[in-house]
Amino acid sequence: MTDLLTRAEYAAIAAEIDLPATPFIDGKFRKGSGPMMPTTNPATGAVLTQISTANTKDVDLAVTKAREAFDQGHWSKMHPSDRKDVLIKLCKYITRRKRELAVMESIESGKPIRDCELIDIPETIHCIKWHAEAADKIYDQTGPAGDDAISMIVREPIGVVAAVLPWNFPLMMLAWKIGPALAAGCSIIVKPAEQTSMTALRVAELAHMAGVPRGVFQVLPGDGPSVGEPLGLHPDIDMVTFTGSTETGKRFLRYAADSNMKKVTLECGGKNPAVVLADAENLDHVAEHVVNAAFWNAGQNCSAASRLIVHKDIKAPLMDRITARLRDWKTGDPLDPANHIGALIDADHAAKVWGYIGETEKNIFVTPRVIEVAKGDPKARDEIFGPVLSVITVASTEEAIAVANDTAYGLAASVFTSNTRTAIRAARDIRAGTVTVNCYGEGDITTPFGGYKQSGFGGRDNGLHAHDQYCEVKTIWIDLTDPAEGDNVG
Protein backbone atom coordinates (compact mmCIF):
# COMPACT_ATOMS: atom_id res chain seq x y z
CA MET A 1 0.00 0.00 0.00
CA THR A 2 1.19 3.51 -0.80
CA ASP A 3 2.47 5.43 2.22
CA LEU A 4 0.64 8.71 2.54
CA LEU A 5 2.61 11.92 2.94
CA THR A 6 1.79 14.88 5.16
CA ARG A 7 -0.40 17.76 4.13
CA ALA A 8 2.68 19.99 3.86
CA GLU A 9 4.47 17.51 1.60
CA TYR A 10 1.48 17.28 -0.75
CA ALA A 11 1.24 21.07 -0.85
CA ALA A 12 4.92 21.25 -1.77
CA ILE A 13 4.36 18.84 -4.67
CA ALA A 14 1.36 20.90 -5.83
CA ALA A 15 3.46 24.06 -5.87
CA GLU A 16 6.07 22.48 -8.17
CA ILE A 17 3.88 20.72 -10.75
CA ASP A 18 4.18 21.88 -14.35
CA LEU A 19 0.49 21.94 -15.26
CA PRO A 20 -0.48 20.95 -18.83
CA ALA A 21 -2.78 23.56 -20.32
CA THR A 22 -3.23 23.05 -24.08
CA PRO A 23 -4.90 20.43 -26.30
CA PHE A 24 -2.83 17.37 -27.18
CA ILE A 25 -3.24 16.82 -30.94
CA ASP A 26 -1.20 14.65 -33.29
CA GLY A 27 1.45 13.80 -30.74
CA LYS A 28 2.11 17.22 -29.24
CA PHE A 29 0.66 20.04 -27.18
CA ARG A 30 -0.64 22.91 -29.29
CA LYS A 31 -2.67 26.03 -28.56
CA GLY A 32 -6.38 25.54 -29.06
CA SER A 33 -8.58 27.71 -31.23
CA GLY A 34 -11.10 28.33 -28.45
CA PRO A 35 -11.03 30.81 -25.53
CA MET A 36 -8.93 30.44 -22.42
CA MET A 37 -10.72 28.59 -19.62
CA PRO A 38 -9.65 28.79 -15.98
CA THR A 39 -9.30 25.55 -14.07
CA THR A 40 -9.87 26.15 -10.38
CA ASN A 41 -9.03 24.43 -7.13
CA PRO A 42 -12.55 24.00 -5.70
CA ALA A 43 -11.26 23.77 -2.14
CA THR A 44 -9.61 27.20 -2.22
CA GLY A 45 -11.16 29.00 -5.17
CA ALA A 46 -7.68 29.69 -6.55
CA VAL A 47 -7.14 29.51 -10.30
CA LEU A 48 -4.58 26.79 -10.97
CA THR A 49 -3.96 27.69 -14.60
CA GLN A 50 -5.69 28.89 -17.74
CA ILE A 51 -6.54 26.07 -20.16
CA SER A 52 -6.35 26.80 -23.88
CA THR A 53 -9.56 25.18 -25.13
CA ALA A 54 -10.47 23.51 -28.39
CA ASN A 55 -13.36 24.28 -30.71
CA THR A 56 -14.84 22.86 -33.92
CA LYS A 57 -11.68 23.68 -35.89
CA ASP A 58 -9.57 21.62 -33.48
CA VAL A 59 -12.15 18.82 -33.48
CA ASP A 60 -11.90 18.59 -37.27
CA LEU A 61 -8.10 18.53 -37.11
CA ALA A 62 -8.03 15.87 -34.39
CA VAL A 63 -10.53 13.67 -36.23
CA THR A 64 -8.50 13.99 -39.45
CA LYS A 65 -5.31 12.97 -37.63
CA ALA A 66 -7.10 10.14 -35.83
CA ARG A 67 -8.47 8.80 -39.11
CA GLU A 68 -5.08 9.08 -40.82
CA ALA A 69 -3.45 7.19 -37.97
CA PHE A 70 -6.12 4.50 -38.06
CA ASP A 71 -5.93 4.03 -41.82
CA GLN A 72 -2.11 3.96 -41.83
CA GLY A 73 -2.34 1.03 -39.43
CA HIS A 74 0.70 1.80 -37.30
CA TRP A 75 -1.53 1.10 -34.27
CA SER A 76 -4.74 -0.45 -35.62
CA LYS A 77 -2.85 -3.19 -37.50
CA MET A 78 -0.02 -3.54 -34.99
CA HIS A 79 0.25 -7.04 -33.55
CA PRO A 80 -1.82 -7.22 -30.34
CA SER A 81 1.27 -8.30 -28.38
CA ASP A 82 3.08 -5.15 -29.48
CA ARG A 83 0.14 -2.95 -28.49
CA LYS A 84 0.20 -4.74 -25.14
CA ASP A 85 3.86 -3.89 -24.65
CA VAL A 86 3.29 -0.20 -25.39
CA LEU A 87 0.36 0.04 -22.97
CA ILE A 88 2.31 -1.71 -20.23
CA LYS A 89 5.10 0.81 -20.80
CA LEU A 90 2.50 3.56 -20.37
CA CYS A 91 1.54 1.99 -17.03
CA LYS A 92 5.19 2.17 -15.98
CA TYR A 93 5.32 5.88 -16.89
CA ILE A 94 2.13 6.54 -14.92
CA THR A 95 3.61 4.66 -11.97
CA ARG A 96 6.70 6.87 -12.04
CA ARG A 97 4.49 9.99 -12.02
CA LYS A 98 1.77 8.59 -9.77
CA ARG A 99 2.24 11.04 -6.91
CA GLU A 100 2.24 14.03 -9.24
CA LEU A 101 -0.91 12.74 -10.94
CA ALA A 102 -2.60 12.12 -7.58
CA VAL A 103 -1.91 15.67 -6.41
CA MET A 104 -2.97 17.11 -9.77
CA GLU A 105 -6.25 15.20 -9.56
CA SER A 106 -6.88 16.30 -5.97
CA ILE A 107 -6.28 20.02 -6.48
CA GLU A 108 -8.35 20.16 -9.65
CA SER A 109 -11.32 18.03 -8.55
CA GLY A 110 -11.44 18.51 -4.78
CA LYS A 111 -11.07 14.76 -4.24
CA PRO A 112 -9.34 13.68 -1.01
CA ILE A 113 -5.68 12.95 -1.64
CA ARG A 114 -6.04 9.67 0.27
CA ASP A 115 -8.54 8.46 -2.36
CA CYS A 116 -6.36 9.65 -5.24
CA GLU A 117 -3.31 7.89 -3.81
CA LEU A 118 -4.93 4.70 -2.50
CA ILE A 119 -7.75 4.12 -5.00
CA ASP A 120 -7.79 6.20 -8.18
CA ILE A 121 -4.16 5.95 -9.27
CA PRO A 122 -3.73 2.23 -8.51
CA GLU A 123 -7.05 1.42 -10.22
CA THR A 124 -6.10 3.52 -13.26
CA ILE A 125 -2.85 1.62 -13.68
CA HIS A 126 -4.51 -1.74 -13.04
CA CYS A 127 -7.26 -1.04 -15.59
CA ILE A 128 -4.92 -0.10 -18.43
CA LYS A 129 -2.60 -3.02 -17.65
CA TRP A 130 -5.49 -5.52 -17.49
CA HIS A 131 -6.83 -4.50 -20.90
CA ALA A 132 -3.30 -4.48 -22.31
CA GLU A 133 -2.74 -8.04 -21.11
CA ALA A 134 -6.09 -9.10 -22.61
CA ALA A 135 -5.22 -7.72 -26.05
CA ASP A 136 -3.38 -10.83 -27.25
CA LYS A 137 -5.55 -13.34 -25.40
CA ILE A 138 -8.96 -12.75 -26.99
CA TYR A 139 -9.71 -15.29 -29.69
CA ASP A 140 -11.97 -14.92 -32.69
CA GLN A 141 -14.33 -17.74 -33.72
CA THR A 142 -15.18 -20.15 -36.46
CA GLY A 143 -18.73 -21.15 -37.24
CA PRO A 144 -20.19 -24.60 -37.97
CA ALA A 145 -20.21 -24.19 -41.76
CA GLY A 146 -19.87 -27.85 -42.71
CA ASP A 147 -17.27 -29.49 -44.92
CA ASP A 148 -17.74 -27.22 -47.94
CA ALA A 149 -16.98 -23.88 -46.30
CA ILE A 150 -15.17 -22.13 -43.50
CA SER A 151 -16.90 -19.34 -41.62
CA MET A 152 -14.78 -16.99 -39.55
CA ILE A 153 -16.20 -14.47 -37.10
CA VAL A 154 -13.52 -11.85 -36.54
CA ARG A 155 -13.33 -8.72 -34.43
CA GLU A 156 -11.90 -5.54 -35.94
CA PRO A 157 -11.27 -2.18 -34.21
CA ILE A 158 -14.27 0.06 -34.76
CA GLY A 159 -12.18 3.04 -35.90
CA VAL A 160 -12.15 6.55 -34.44
CA VAL A 161 -13.67 6.80 -30.96
CA ALA A 162 -14.65 9.92 -29.04
CA ALA A 163 -14.61 9.51 -25.25
CA VAL A 164 -16.46 12.13 -23.19
CA LEU A 165 -15.52 11.99 -19.52
CA PRO A 166 -17.05 13.12 -16.21
CA TRP A 167 -15.37 15.17 -13.49
CA ASN A 168 -15.91 12.85 -10.53
CA PHE A 169 -13.28 10.22 -11.43
CA PRO A 170 -11.15 11.88 -14.11
CA LEU A 171 -8.30 9.35 -14.22
CA MET A 172 -10.29 6.19 -13.56
CA MET A 173 -12.91 6.99 -16.19
CA LEU A 174 -10.12 7.87 -18.62
CA ALA A 175 -8.62 4.43 -18.02
CA TRP A 176 -12.01 2.72 -18.42
CA LYS A 177 -12.21 4.21 -21.93
CA ILE A 178 -8.66 4.22 -23.26
CA GLY A 179 -7.73 0.81 -21.84
CA PRO A 180 -10.05 -1.32 -24.02
CA ALA A 181 -10.22 1.16 -26.93
CA LEU A 182 -6.45 1.32 -27.39
CA ALA A 183 -6.03 -2.39 -26.73
CA ALA A 184 -8.52 -3.07 -29.53
CA GLY A 185 -6.55 -0.89 -31.96
CA CYS A 186 -8.80 2.16 -32.13
CA SER A 187 -7.80 5.80 -32.37
CA ILE A 188 -9.37 7.77 -29.50
CA ILE A 189 -10.12 11.46 -28.93
CA VAL A 190 -10.83 12.34 -25.30
CA LYS A 191 -12.92 15.28 -24.17
CA PRO A 192 -12.36 15.64 -20.42
CA ALA A 193 -14.84 17.49 -18.23
CA GLU A 194 -14.32 21.27 -18.22
CA GLN A 195 -13.47 21.20 -14.50
CA THR A 196 -10.86 18.42 -14.75
CA SER A 197 -8.73 18.54 -17.89
CA MET A 198 -5.17 18.28 -16.64
CA THR A 199 -4.66 14.60 -15.80
CA ALA A 200 -6.00 13.45 -19.18
CA LEU A 201 -3.57 15.81 -20.90
CA ARG A 202 -0.67 14.45 -18.87
CA VAL A 203 -1.57 10.81 -19.56
CA ALA A 204 -1.81 11.53 -23.30
CA GLU A 205 1.71 12.95 -23.17
CA LEU A 206 2.95 9.87 -21.30
CA ALA A 207 1.22 7.59 -23.82
CA HIS A 208 3.04 9.27 -26.69
CA MET A 209 6.33 8.89 -24.80
CA ALA A 210 5.51 5.19 -24.30
CA GLY A 211 5.12 4.65 -28.03
CA VAL A 212 1.47 5.27 -28.86
CA PRO A 213 1.72 6.75 -32.39
CA ARG A 214 0.74 10.30 -33.29
CA GLY A 215 -2.97 10.79 -33.77
CA VAL A 216 -3.96 7.63 -31.88
CA PHE A 217 -4.62 9.27 -28.48
CA GLN A 218 -5.58 12.95 -28.44
CA VAL A 219 -7.18 15.19 -25.79
CA LEU A 220 -9.38 18.21 -26.48
CA PRO A 221 -10.27 20.30 -23.42
CA GLY A 222 -13.28 22.56 -23.71
CA ASP A 223 -17.00 22.81 -23.07
CA GLY A 224 -19.88 20.78 -24.41
CA PRO A 225 -21.06 23.08 -27.23
CA SER A 226 -17.51 23.67 -28.50
CA VAL A 227 -16.10 20.14 -28.27
CA GLY A 228 -18.64 17.57 -27.09
CA GLU A 229 -21.36 18.41 -29.58
CA PRO A 230 -19.03 18.63 -32.61
CA LEU A 231 -17.59 15.23 -31.68
CA GLY A 232 -21.07 13.78 -31.33
CA LEU A 233 -22.13 15.13 -34.73
CA HIS A 234 -18.90 14.51 -36.62
CA PRO A 235 -19.46 12.23 -39.64
CA ASP A 236 -16.01 10.64 -39.35
CA ILE A 237 -16.33 9.57 -35.71
CA ASP A 238 -17.30 5.89 -35.58
CA MET A 239 -18.26 5.70 -31.91
CA VAL A 240 -18.90 7.86 -28.86
CA THR A 241 -18.42 6.46 -25.36
CA PHE A 242 -19.81 8.69 -22.62
CA THR A 243 -19.94 8.67 -18.82
CA GLY A 244 -21.94 11.39 -17.12
CA SER A 245 -25.46 12.62 -16.56
CA THR A 246 -28.47 10.93 -18.14
CA GLU A 247 -29.60 14.23 -19.65
CA THR A 248 -26.31 14.74 -21.47
CA GLY A 249 -26.13 11.10 -22.47
CA LYS A 250 -29.45 11.42 -24.31
CA ARG A 251 -27.97 14.25 -26.36
CA PHE A 252 -25.37 11.91 -27.81
CA LEU A 253 -28.11 9.58 -28.99
CA ARG A 254 -29.66 12.54 -30.80
CA TYR A 255 -26.28 13.54 -32.25
CA ALA A 256 -25.79 10.01 -33.58
CA ALA A 257 -29.26 10.01 -35.15
CA ASP A 258 -28.65 13.41 -36.74
CA SER A 259 -25.27 12.44 -38.20
CA ASN A 260 -23.87 9.07 -39.26
CA MET A 261 -25.64 6.71 -36.79
CA LYS A 262 -22.35 6.25 -34.98
CA LYS A 263 -22.27 3.69 -32.23
CA VAL A 264 -23.01 5.16 -28.79
CA THR A 265 -22.39 3.66 -25.36
CA LEU A 266 -23.61 5.50 -22.28
CA GLU A 267 -22.95 5.06 -18.57
CA CYS A 268 -25.23 7.56 -16.86
CA GLY A 269 -26.82 8.37 -13.54
CA GLY A 270 -28.09 6.28 -10.68
CA LYS A 271 -30.23 6.40 -7.56
CA ASN A 272 -28.88 3.22 -6.12
CA PRO A 273 -30.44 1.34 -3.21
CA ALA A 274 -28.79 -0.38 -0.29
CA VAL A 275 -31.46 -2.83 0.87
CA VAL A 276 -31.03 -4.03 4.48
CA LEU A 277 -33.48 -6.81 5.33
CA ALA A 278 -34.65 -7.88 8.77
CA ASP A 279 -32.31 -10.87 8.95
CA ALA A 280 -29.12 -8.95 8.07
CA GLU A 281 -26.19 -10.06 10.21
CA ASN A 282 -23.27 -8.12 11.71
CA LEU A 283 -24.73 -4.62 11.63
CA ASP A 284 -21.29 -3.09 12.20
CA HIS A 285 -20.24 -4.60 8.89
CA VAL A 286 -23.45 -3.38 7.23
CA ALA A 287 -22.97 0.15 8.58
CA GLU A 288 -19.39 0.27 7.32
CA HIS A 289 -20.49 -0.62 3.80
CA VAL A 290 -23.52 1.69 3.81
CA VAL A 291 -21.42 4.67 4.92
CA ASN A 292 -18.72 3.99 2.35
CA ALA A 293 -21.33 3.46 -0.36
CA ALA A 294 -23.12 6.72 0.35
CA PHE A 295 -20.26 9.07 1.14
CA TRP A 296 -17.20 7.88 -0.78
CA ASN A 297 -16.06 10.76 -3.02
CA ALA A 298 -18.59 12.96 -1.23
CA GLY A 299 -21.41 11.01 -2.85
CA GLN A 300 -20.29 12.31 -6.26
CA ASN A 301 -20.43 8.82 -7.68
CA CYS A 302 -22.94 7.41 -10.15
CA SER A 303 -22.98 4.10 -8.25
CA ALA A 304 -23.27 5.69 -4.80
CA ALA A 305 -25.85 3.94 -2.63
CA SER A 306 -27.76 7.12 -1.90
CA ARG A 307 -30.93 5.30 -0.80
CA LEU A 308 -30.94 3.17 2.35
CA ILE A 309 -34.02 0.93 2.27
CA VAL A 310 -34.14 -0.66 5.70
CA HIS A 311 -36.58 -3.02 7.40
CA LYS A 312 -38.36 -1.43 10.37
CA ASP A 313 -37.27 -4.19 12.77
CA ILE A 314 -33.59 -3.51 12.26
CA LYS A 315 -33.61 0.20 11.55
CA ALA A 316 -32.82 1.63 15.01
CA PRO A 317 -29.69 -0.42 15.76
CA LEU A 318 -28.40 0.09 12.22
CA MET A 319 -28.89 3.85 12.34
CA ASP A 320 -26.99 4.00 15.64
CA ARG A 321 -24.05 2.25 14.01
CA ILE A 322 -24.16 4.47 10.91
CA THR A 323 -24.05 7.57 13.10
CA ALA A 324 -21.10 6.18 15.03
CA ARG A 325 -19.26 5.22 11.86
CA LEU A 326 -19.69 8.71 10.39
CA ARG A 327 -17.66 10.24 13.21
CA ASP A 328 -14.53 8.90 11.47
CA TRP A 329 -15.40 10.59 8.17
CA LYS A 330 -13.76 13.97 8.39
CA THR A 331 -14.49 16.71 5.86
CA GLY A 332 -11.99 19.38 4.83
CA ASP A 333 -8.84 20.24 2.91
CA PRO A 334 -8.43 17.59 0.18
CA LEU A 335 -4.62 17.64 0.52
CA ASP A 336 -4.87 16.61 4.17
CA PRO A 337 -4.75 12.79 4.18
CA ALA A 338 -6.77 12.73 7.41
CA ASN A 339 -9.88 13.83 5.50
CA HIS A 340 -12.22 11.33 3.87
CA ILE A 341 -14.39 13.97 2.17
CA GLY A 342 -13.00 16.94 0.28
CA ALA A 343 -14.64 19.78 -1.59
CA LEU A 344 -17.54 19.42 -4.00
CA ILE A 345 -16.59 20.09 -7.59
CA ASP A 346 -17.77 23.71 -7.83
CA ALA A 347 -20.07 26.31 -6.28
CA ASP A 348 -23.00 25.61 -8.61
CA HIS A 349 -23.03 21.95 -7.73
CA ALA A 350 -22.64 22.71 -4.03
CA ALA A 351 -25.67 25.04 -4.21
CA LYS A 352 -27.72 22.23 -5.77
CA VAL A 353 -26.75 19.83 -2.98
CA TRP A 354 -27.48 22.39 -0.26
CA GLY A 355 -30.88 22.91 -1.86
CA TYR A 356 -31.77 19.26 -1.37
CA ILE A 357 -30.57 19.41 2.22
CA GLY A 358 -32.87 22.37 2.75
CA GLU A 359 -30.26 24.89 3.78
CA THR A 360 -29.05 28.04 2.05
CA GLU A 361 -25.28 27.75 2.07
CA LYS A 362 -22.35 28.79 -0.07
CA ASN A 363 -19.84 26.44 1.54
CA ILE A 364 -18.09 24.16 -0.94
CA PHE A 365 -17.55 21.64 1.87
CA VAL A 366 -20.67 19.62 2.69
CA THR A 367 -20.57 17.27 5.67
CA PRO A 368 -22.48 13.97 5.42
CA ARG A 369 -26.24 14.12 5.91
CA VAL A 370 -28.57 11.23 6.78
CA ILE A 371 -32.19 12.18 6.10
CA GLU A 372 -35.35 10.10 6.61
CA VAL A 373 -37.68 10.48 3.64
CA ALA A 374 -40.95 9.17 2.27
CA LYS A 375 -40.98 7.02 -0.88
CA GLY A 376 -42.10 9.84 -3.18
CA ASP A 377 -39.81 12.54 -1.79
CA PRO A 378 -37.49 14.11 -4.42
CA LYS A 379 -34.57 13.15 -2.18
CA ALA A 380 -35.64 9.53 -2.68
CA ARG A 381 -35.88 9.88 -6.47
CA ASP A 382 -33.43 12.52 -7.74
CA GLU A 383 -29.73 11.92 -8.18
CA ILE A 384 -28.39 14.47 -5.68
CA PHE A 385 -24.74 13.59 -6.33
CA GLY A 386 -23.61 14.76 -2.93
CA PRO A 387 -23.02 13.38 0.58
CA VAL A 388 -26.72 12.82 1.31
CA LEU A 389 -28.15 9.44 2.35
CA SER A 390 -31.93 9.16 2.09
CA VAL A 391 -33.42 6.58 4.47
CA ILE A 392 -36.68 4.80 3.60
CA THR A 393 -38.33 2.42 6.08
CA VAL A 394 -40.11 -0.72 4.82
CA ALA A 395 -42.06 -3.54 6.46
CA SER A 396 -41.24 -6.54 4.26
CA THR A 397 -38.80 -7.94 1.75
CA GLU A 398 -41.38 -7.56 -1.01
CA GLU A 399 -41.85 -3.88 -0.20
CA ALA A 400 -38.09 -3.35 -0.08
CA ILE A 401 -37.62 -4.77 -3.58
CA ALA A 402 -40.55 -2.75 -4.92
CA VAL A 403 -39.07 0.46 -3.49
CA ALA A 404 -35.62 -0.42 -4.82
CA ASN A 405 -37.09 -0.72 -8.34
CA ASP A 406 -39.20 2.44 -8.01
CA THR A 407 -36.73 4.61 -9.92
CA ALA A 408 -35.92 5.68 -13.46
CA TYR A 409 -32.38 4.38 -12.92
CA GLY A 410 -30.86 0.93 -12.64
CA LEU A 411 -27.11 1.14 -12.23
CA ALA A 412 -26.20 -0.61 -8.98
CA ALA A 413 -27.73 -2.02 -5.81
CA SER A 414 -26.74 -3.83 -2.63
CA VAL A 415 -28.66 -6.39 -0.57
CA PHE A 416 -27.86 -7.33 3.02
CA THR A 417 -29.40 -10.56 4.32
CA SER A 418 -28.30 -13.79 6.01
CA ASN A 419 -30.57 -15.96 3.86
CA THR A 420 -28.91 -17.22 0.67
CA ARG A 421 -32.19 -17.89 -1.12
CA THR A 422 -33.46 -14.39 -0.28
CA ALA A 423 -30.19 -12.87 -1.45
CA ILE A 424 -30.28 -14.62 -4.81
CA ARG A 425 -33.97 -13.86 -5.35
CA ALA A 426 -33.45 -10.19 -4.48
CA ALA A 427 -30.41 -9.94 -6.76
CA ARG A 428 -32.50 -11.41 -9.58
CA ASP A 429 -35.52 -9.17 -8.92
CA ILE A 430 -33.71 -5.83 -8.58
CA ARG A 431 -33.35 -4.25 -12.01
CA ALA A 432 -29.78 -2.99 -11.92
CA GLY A 433 -26.59 -3.69 -13.83
CA THR A 434 -24.62 -4.67 -10.71
CA VAL A 435 -26.11 -6.14 -7.53
CA THR A 436 -23.79 -6.90 -4.62
CA VAL A 437 -24.74 -9.11 -1.69
CA ASN A 438 -23.66 -8.28 1.87
CA CYS A 439 -21.24 -5.65 0.60
CA TYR A 440 -21.03 -2.51 -1.48
CA GLY A 441 -19.06 -2.47 -4.70
CA GLU A 442 -18.97 -2.40 -8.48
CA GLY A 443 -17.42 -5.82 -9.02
CA ASP A 444 -13.89 -5.48 -10.36
CA ILE A 445 -12.04 -4.98 -13.63
CA THR A 446 -13.14 -8.46 -14.82
CA THR A 447 -16.89 -7.77 -14.47
CA PRO A 448 -18.96 -5.60 -16.84
CA PHE A 449 -20.28 -2.36 -15.36
CA GLY A 450 -23.28 -0.47 -16.68
CA GLY A 451 -26.94 0.07 -16.08
CA TYR A 452 -30.54 -0.79 -16.81
CA LYS A 453 -33.19 1.76 -17.75
CA GLN A 454 -31.88 5.37 -17.84
CA SER A 455 -28.56 4.44 -16.24
CA GLY A 456 -27.03 3.08 -19.40
CA PHE A 457 -27.21 2.31 -23.08
CA GLY A 458 -25.39 0.35 -25.72
CA GLY A 459 -22.63 -1.42 -23.82
CA ARG A 460 -20.63 -1.95 -20.66
CA ASP A 461 -17.36 -0.73 -19.21
CA ASN A 462 -14.83 -3.19 -17.74
CA GLY A 463 -14.33 -6.85 -18.46
CA LEU A 464 -14.00 -8.40 -21.89
CA HIS A 465 -17.40 -6.90 -22.69
CA ALA A 466 -15.64 -3.54 -22.88
CA HIS A 467 -13.33 -4.82 -25.62
CA ASP A 468 -16.31 -5.98 -27.64
CA GLN A 469 -17.91 -2.56 -27.73
CA TYR A 470 -14.81 -1.05 -29.39
CA CYS A 471 -14.91 -3.64 -32.15
CA GLU A 472 -16.98 -4.43 -35.19
CA VAL A 473 -17.83 -8.08 -35.76
CA LYS A 474 -17.24 -9.35 -39.30
CA THR A 475 -18.18 -12.64 -40.91
CA ILE A 476 -15.77 -14.04 -43.50
CA TRP A 477 -17.19 -16.96 -45.48
CA ILE A 478 -14.84 -19.10 -47.54
CA ASP A 479 -16.27 -21.53 -50.08
CA LEU A 480 -14.21 -24.73 -50.22
CA THR A 481 -16.02 -26.42 -53.09
CA ASP A 482 -14.00 -27.08 -56.24
CA PRO A 483 -15.35 -24.97 -59.12
CA ALA A 484 -14.32 -27.76 -61.48
CA GLU A 485 -16.75 -30.06 -59.71
CA GLY A 486 -19.70 -27.79 -60.37
CA ASP A 487 -22.67 -28.61 -62.54
CA ASN A 488 -21.48 -30.74 -65.46
CA VAL A 489 -23.75 -31.10 -68.50
CA GLY A 490 -23.45 -34.05 -70.86
Side-chain angles (χ1 to χ4, degrees):
M1 179 179 289
T2 299
D3 292 326
L4 296 174
L5 304 180
T6 65
R7 196 273 172 207
E9 288 171 319
Y10 285 122
I13 294 172
E16 296 297 323
I17 294 176
D18 178 22
L19 301 175
T22 61
F24 191 83
I25 301 174
D26 197 30
K28 63 182 178 182
F29 290 111
R30 62 174 75 203
K31 189 176 186 300
S33 303
M36 301 300 290
M37 176 181 70
T39 186
T40 303
N41 183 335
T44 65
V47 174
L48 297 167
T49 189
Q50 294 283 341
I51 303 287
S52 173
T53 65
N55 65 11
T56 304
K57 178 180 177 182
D58 302 299
V59 169
D60 289 340
L61 174 62
V63 173
T64 297
K65 295 301 181 183
R67 178 62 62 191
E68 288 176 358
F70 185 80
D71 290 345
Q72 288 166 358
H74 299 312
W75 185 256
S76 59
K77 293 181 173 62
M78 181 185 287
H79 193 282
S81 295
D82 295 330
R83 286 201 299 266
K84 175 187 70 175
D85 291 343
V86 172
L87 292 176
I88 289 175
K89 190 173 182 181
L90 168 60
C91 291
K92 292 177 180 178
Y93 283 168
I94 294 173
T95 300
R96 292 175 192 169
R97 307 283 285 272
K98 62 182 180 179
R99 191 142 265 161
E100 171 194 330
L101 285 164
V103 171
M104 193 183 297
E105 183 119 310
S106 179
I107 61 176
E108 192 176 35
S109 71
K111 293 171 67 73
I113 189 65
R114 64 180 298 118
D115 284 359
C116 297
E117 282 260 49
L118 302 180
I119 301 173
D120 294 49
I121 298 295
E123 287 296 319
T124 295
I125 296 167
H126 178 57
C127 177
I128 297 172
K129 184 181 292 186
W130 191 89
H131 287 294
E133 290 285 3
D136 61 356
K137 300 173 183 67
I138 302 175
Y139 288 80
D140 291 329
Q141 298 171 303
T142 58
D147 190 56
D148 292 334
I150 292 177
S151 67
M152 297 187 295
I153 301 96
V154 300
R155 302 158 70 259
E156 297 180 346
I158 198 168
V160 177
V161 176
V164 182
L165 306 183
W167 46 256
N168 56 337
F169 292 96
L171 274 170
M172 281 175 50
M173 294 303 98
L174 175 71
W176 280 22
K177 308 301 185 186
I178 67 171
L182 291 176
C186 298
S187 296
I188 188 163
I189 301 168
V190 173
K191 182 217 170 293
E194 296 96 300
Q195 301 93 330
T196 52
S197 302
M198 296 192 299
T199 50
L201 291 167
R202 178 67 78 226
V203 172
E205 179 186 25
L206 296 178
H208 183 64
M209 291 168 55
V212 174
R214 294 167 52 180
V216 172
F217 178 12
Q218 304 174 92
V219 178
L220 302 180
D223 62 22
S226 300
V227 180
E229 182 175 349
L231 286 171
L233 289 169
H234 203 289
D236 210 22
I237 295 278
D238 299 297
M239 174 183 171
V240 169
T241 175
F242 169 82
T243 296
S245 72
T246 299
E247 178 184 358
T248 303
K250 290 178 180 179
R251 292 179 188 169
F252 283 100
L253 294 178
R254 298 187 189 101
Y255 298 153
D258 291 341
S259 55
N260 60 337
M261 289 182 65
K262 57 178 62 67
K263 187 176 181 180
V264 177
T265 63
L266 307 174
E267 195 268 281
C268 298
K271 190 66 176 177
N272 311 291
V275 177
V276 183
L277 301 177
D279 63 349
E281 294 179 322
N282 191 347
L283 293 188
D284 289 320
H285 170 84
V286 175
E288 178 183 0
H289 280 268
V290 168
V291 168
N292 185 51
F295 302 116
W296 171 43
N297 202 38
Q300 299 173 127
N301 179 12
C302 57
S303 66
S306 55
R307 289 186 296 155
L308 172 60
I309 301 171
V310 58
H311 193 281
K312 61 183 178 60
D313 294 346
I314 209 169
K315 176 183 174 184
L318 177 61
M319 298 309 296
D320 288 343
R321 287 165 171 80
I322 288 174
T323 300
R325 177 72 60 176
L326 275 175
R327 296 190 189 110
D328 296 331
W329 280 64
K330 298 178 181 179
T331 303
D333 183 355
L335 287 183
D336 185 342
N339 292 324
H340 285 72
I341 297 178
L344 298 192
I345 188 64
D346 57 32
D348 289 342
H349 183 61
K352 170 194 166 187
V353 174
W354 282 114
Y356 278 104
I357 294 171
E359 301 176 28
T360 303
E361 277 278 353
K362 294 184 178 180
N363 195 340
I364 201 76
F365 296 96
V366 181
T367 56
R369 296 296 202 280
V370 179
I371 304 173
E372 294 195 33
V373 301
K375 298 174 188 176
D377 190 298
K379 290 186 284 294
R381 292 184 174 275
D382 298 349
E383 187 181 34
I384 300 173
F385 225 59
V388 179
L389 176 63
S390 299
V391 181
I392 304 167
T393 307
V394 294
S396 67
T397 298
E398 293 73 20
E399 183 185 7
I401 302 305
V403 173
N405 285 330
D406 185 21
T407 174
Y409 301 108
L411 187 57
S414 301
V415 179
F416 295 86
T417 175
S418 60
N419 185 293
T420 301
R421 181 181 179 280
T422 300
I424 295 173
R425 177 54 58 195
R428 289 282 185 87
D429 290 345
I430 293 175
R431 293 186 54 76
T434 298
V435 181
T436 57
V437 176
N438 292 328
C439 65
Y440 164 72
E442 297 175 352
D444 64 13
I445 189 61
T446 69
T447 57
F449 180 78
Y452 287 29
K453 299 188 275 189
Q454 294 192 46
S455 286
F457 177 88
R460 291 290 190 266
D461 290 313
N462 292 343
L464 295 181
H465 294 75
H467 283 257
D468 291 340
Q469 68 190 13
Y470 295 102
C471 293
E472 293 282 15
V473 177
K474 176 182 287 184
T475 295
I476 300 175
W477 187 277
I478 304 173
D479 187 352
L480 297 180
T481 59
D482 187 345
E485 298 179 359
D487 293 338
N488 294 314
V489 179

